[in-house]
């Protein structure tokens, strides 16, 4: 049996490290969360409590809520309740994923509204083992096999080193009231099957299995930390951080081992081995999309940009242009600074051939023009490719258009021949940088 002093030591470490922090405890009413609440209450730490009633177990769900709510009322602990309703659109499948989303959305909202420093959950060693087995079946790599982190993204889990049985023993020893979730005994979900069928067999094989597993998880975490340090050093050599995007040196990246490539790209949501191989073989201009990033292939580099940033760039407002007294188009300094590395321009247009107002905008899919010095029309994307314009340079290029959105030229690379002024043009519009 683990005595109170052992559990108290875990809380003393938190008290020492986060003396002035404010905590939100996730309390379901089960033994683990009620022990956690009991321990925190015994300290001088500032805490609040959050409880979710999923309405999945009828009266049992309401009794769980009542237990936690009355404890908080008795001890003057701020209590936050979320009761699931029809608006939460409970699915027929993936109940656990749905519940997790509701749970953490609720926790994060309270954390933000109440300006709390940390969310604290009651995950324990048995949860670690179940998660390890689930991740092992998914080929999730060393990060997945390292289990549930004790401290990540402002979430603390101080009971990870204690087994479920130790927590039950502690609750009994200290007469801590809790409620048992009988649905955990059903094998409706993968985690429950592992908990009820696989783990008991492992404990029968070796009575010290959980203790040894805890040590193994510790070793795996140390290995993970070491690997992450090494990967970070490699990233510094091959990744250049810009204000709005990342540039990855293609040759240095693909000279790394498959493992290193995977670990680097995984951070940006590209976590499939087959996808990484497609990236290696992809031609210039090819784009790959993850949940958060867009990766674009260029000749010597890979460009990583957050999808939100990409959308913002594409939706950038058009710039309406004006003329000075000398019939010269005034290009904003912002645009001139972007295109100055691409070359100079000095164009002349026949005023009768264009409609006002004139404007600048970024390229859109399907854009085409009639480049001077060439026969026929050409898509802007094909023009970029033929001229070997780097992807990053393409993102700085503006199109000069008239009131009908006809492209007058690609700044500062090529003018559209349809609108070029001749010696006979009665009025000439000039643009230069």
């Amino acid at each position: 049996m683990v005595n109170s002093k052992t559990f108290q030591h875990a809380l003393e470490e938190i008290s020492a490290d986060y003396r002035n922090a404010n905590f939100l405890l996730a309390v379901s009413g089960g033994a683990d969360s009620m022990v956690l609440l009991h321990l925190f209450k015994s300290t001088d730490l500032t805490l609040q409590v959050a409880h979710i009633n999923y309405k999945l177990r009828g009266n049992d769900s309401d009794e769980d809520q009542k237990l936690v709510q009355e404890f908080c009322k008795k001890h003057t602990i701020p209590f936050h309740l979320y009761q699931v309703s029809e608006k939460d659109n409970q699915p027929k499948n993936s109940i656990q994923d749905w519940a997790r989303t509701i749970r953490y959305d609720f926790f994060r909202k309270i954390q933000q509204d109440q300006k709390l420093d940390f969310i604290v959950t009651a995950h324990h060693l048995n949860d670690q083992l179940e998660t390890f087995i689930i991740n092992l079946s998914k080929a999730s790599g060393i990060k997945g096999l390292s289990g549930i982190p004790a401290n990540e993204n402002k979430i603390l889990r101080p009971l990870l080193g204690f087994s479920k049985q130790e927590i039950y023993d502690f609750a009994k020893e200290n007469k801590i009231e809790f409620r048992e979730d009988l649905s955990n005994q059903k094998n409706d979900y993968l985690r429950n099957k592992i908990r009820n069928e696989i783990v008991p067999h492992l404990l029968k094989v070796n009575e010290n299995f959980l203790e040894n597993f805890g040590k193994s998880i510790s070793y795996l975490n140390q290995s993970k930390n070491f690997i992450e340090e090494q990967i970070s050093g490699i990233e510094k050599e091959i990744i250049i951080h810009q204000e709005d995007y990342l540039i990855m040196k293609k040759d240095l990246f693909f000279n790394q081992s498959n493992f290193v490539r995977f670990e680097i790209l995984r951070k940006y949501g590209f976590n499939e081995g087959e996808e990484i191989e497609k990236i290696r073989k992809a031609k210039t201009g090819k784009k790959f999309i993850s949940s958060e990033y867009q990766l674009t292939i260029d000749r010597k580099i890979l460009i990583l940009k957050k999808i939100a940033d990409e959308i913002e760039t594409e939706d950038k407002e058009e710039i309406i242009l004006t003329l000075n007294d000398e019939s010269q188009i005034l290009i904003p300094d912002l645009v001139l600074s972007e295109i100055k590395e691409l070359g100079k321009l000095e164009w002349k247009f026949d005023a009768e051939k264009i409609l006002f107002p004139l404007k600048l905008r970024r390229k859109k899919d399907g854009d085409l023009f009639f480049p001077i010095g060439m026969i026929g029309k050409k898509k802007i994307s094909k023009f970029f490719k033929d001229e070997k314009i780097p992807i990053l340079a393409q993102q700085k290029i503006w199109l000069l258009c008239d009131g009908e959105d006809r492209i007058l030229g690609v700044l500062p690379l090529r003018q559209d021949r349809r609108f070029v002024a001749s010696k006979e043009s009665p009025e000439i519009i000039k643009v230069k940088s």
Side-chain angles (χ1 to χ4, degrees):
M1 180 181 295
V2 176
N3 59 37
S4 300
K5 290 182 179 179
T6 308
F7 277 91
Q8 199 65 37
H9 178 69
L11 266 294
E12 287 173 357
E13 289 184 350
I14 289 182
S15 298
D17 293 339
Y18 311 104
R19 188 177 304 278
N20 298 317
N22 299 309
F23 302 89
L24 177 67
L25 272 62
V27 183
S28 66
D32 46 8
S33 65
M34 292 306 293
V35 164
L36 181 70
L37 180 55
H38 173 90
L39 289 167
F40 262 78
K41 179 194 163 295
S42 67
T43 71
D44 58 354
L45 297 171
T46 303
L47 69 141
Q48 299 186 30
V49 166
H51 176 84
I52 298 180
N53 186 338
Y54 294 104
K55 299 290 185 179
L56 293 174
R57 296 181 292 113
N59 185 61
D60 281 342
S61 293
D62 296 333
E63 289 299 317
D64 293 348
Q65 174 188 323
K66 182 180 178 181
L67 171 65
V68 180
Q69 195 164 9
E70 288 184 350
F71 182 97
C72 291
K73 182 178 180 180
K74 178 180 178 181
H75 298 285
T76 321
I77 299 171
F79 176 77
H80 304 274
L81 172 66
Y82 187 91
Q83 292 185 314
V84 171
S85 62
E86 291 182 0
K87 68 180 176 60
D88 292 300
N89 298 318
Q90 178 184 332
K92 294 182 179 179
N93 300 311
S94 302
I95 297 292
Q96 290 187 321
D97 291 339
W98 165 81
R100 176 182 172 82
T101 299
I102 289 177
R103 183 162 64 246
Y104 280 97
D105 284 350
F106 180 51
F107 296 162
R108 290 298 189 190
K109 185 177 187 306
I110 298 170
Q111 183 183 28
Q112 181 178 1
D113 292 347
Q114 299 293 319
K115 296 181 172 55
L116 304 176
D117 299 295
F118 295 97
I119 296 168
V120 188
T121 71
H123 290 91
H124 47 71
L125 190 56
N126 290 68
D127 293 322
Q128 277 280 37
L129 178 56
E130 294 159 13
T131 300
F132 174 87
I133 294 173
I134 290 171
N135 288 341
L136 184 66
S137 69
K138 294 180 178 179
S140 60
I142 192 168
K143 181 175 177 62
L145 297 181
S146 298
I148 307 168
N151 181 357
E152 186 180 56
N153 297 328
K154 299 293 184 179
I155 300 176
L156 302 179
R157 301 177 177 94
L159 301 185
L160 277 178
F162 300 97
S163 70
K164 182 168 64 175
Q165 188 59 53
E166 289 172 330
I167 291 171
Y168 276 119
D169 291 344
F170 180 84
K172 181 178 179 180
E173 179 184 336
N174 291 274
K175 297 181 173 57
I176 298 173
E177 186 179 359
F178 64 90
R179 288 184 52 78
E180 195 71 67
D181 184 350
L182 298 179
S183 68
N184 287 334
Q185 298 176 11
K186 299 178 181 179
N187 292 334
D188 298 344
Y189 309 116
L190 174 61
R191 183 175 289 275
N192 283 10
K193 290 179 181 178
I194 292 171
R195 176 182 300 147
N196 299 326
E197 296 180 1
I198 296 177
V199 172
H201 284 292
L202 294 175
L203 298 181
K204 284 181 181 179
V205 171
N206 183 348
E207 62 180 11
N208 297 319
F209 185 90
L210 262 181
E211 180 183 352
N212 292 335
F213 168 74
K215 293 177 181 178
S216 296
I217 280 288
S218 176
Y219 299 148
L220 278 170
N221 269 292
Q222 293 176 47
S223 300
K224 177 178 70 70
N225 293 338
F226 174 77
I227 289 170
E228 287 177 349
E229 288 178 7
Q230 300 303 307
I231 297 291
S232 178
I234 294 172
E235 284 181 306
K236 289 178 181 178
E237 295 180 6
I238 67 176
I239 294 180
I240 302 171
H241 291 261
Q242 301 291 344
E243 184 176 352
D244 299 322
Y245 51 84
L246 303 175
I247 296 174
M248 194 179 299
K249 300 173 185 175
K250 190 189 289 187
D251 56 345
L252 292 180
F253 174 74
F254 285 113
N255 280 339
Q256 305 302 321
S257 67
N258 289 336
F259 174 78
V260 172
R261 294 179 205 166
F262 176 82
E263 288 297 312
I264 291 176
L265 285 184
R266 180 178 57 78
K267 296 180 180 180
Y268 306 101
F270 302 96
N271 50 15
E272 298 292 336
E274 296 83 357
E275 189 173 34
I276 295 174
E277 182 61 18
K278 290 178 182 178
I279 291 172
R280 187 182 69 82
K281 295 179 178 179
K283 295 181 179 179
T284 296
K286 177 70 175 177
K287 295 181 180 180
F288 295 84
I289 305 294
S290 71
S291 58
E292 292 186 53
Y293 281 86
Q294 174 180 283
L295 184 150
T296 305
I297 308 296
D298 204 352
R299 287 171 177 79
K300 294 184 178 181
I301 59 175
L302 305 176
I303 304 162
L304 282 158
K305 192 168 188 178
K306 278 200 169 183
I307 291 175
D309 295 338
E310 184 69 19
I311 293 173
E312 183 179 343
T313 299
E314 291 176 357
D315 292 344
K316 206 166 200 175
E317 291 183 4
E318 297 173 341
I319 300 174
I320 303 300
L321 302 174
T322 58
L323 297 177
N324 63 15
D325 294 338
E326 299 176 354
S327 294
Q328 180 174 326
I329 298 172
L330 298 177
I331 304 294
D333 291 339
L334 171 66
V335 175
L336 290 175
S337 66
E338 283 193 346
I339 66 174
K340 66 181 180 180
E341 296 179 3
L342 302 174
K344 295 277 187 179
L345 74 146
E346 188 167 350
W347 296 343
K348 294 181 180 180
F349 296 98
D350 187 329
E352 291 186 351
K353 294 180 179 179
I354 58 180
L355 294 174
F356 290 86
L358 303 183
K359 63 185 178 183
L360 292 174
R361 65 168 174 81
R362 300 295 193 185
K363 181 183 83 68
K364 296 186 293 190
D365 288 343
D367 274 340
L368 55 82
F369 75 135
F370 295 76
I372 192 168
M374 299 182 183
I375 299 173
K377 60 187 176 183
K378 180 170 285 194
K379 282 190 174 182
I380 299 293
S381 56
K382 182 69 164 57
F383 173 75
F384 286 162
K385 184 177 181 180
D386 291 346
E387 297 294 312
K388 295 183 170 55
I389 308 297
I391 300 293
L392 289 177
Q394 293 178 25
Q395 295 175 358
K396 295 180 179 180
I397 290 174
W398 291 84
L399 304 183
L400 176 62
C401 303
D402 75 348
E404 289 188 341
D405 205 34
R406 295 177 297 179
I407 296 172
L408 309 184
V410 180
L411 269 63
L413 304 172
R414 195 67 62 97
Q415 189 175 359
D416 188 303
R417 66 176 183 271
R418 293 173 296 174
F419 311 101
V420 175
S422 66
K423 293 180 181 180
E424 290 77 31
S425 299
E427 184 180 357
I428 295 175
I429 304 296
K430 294 172 287 186
V431 57
K432 57 180 167 180
S433 61

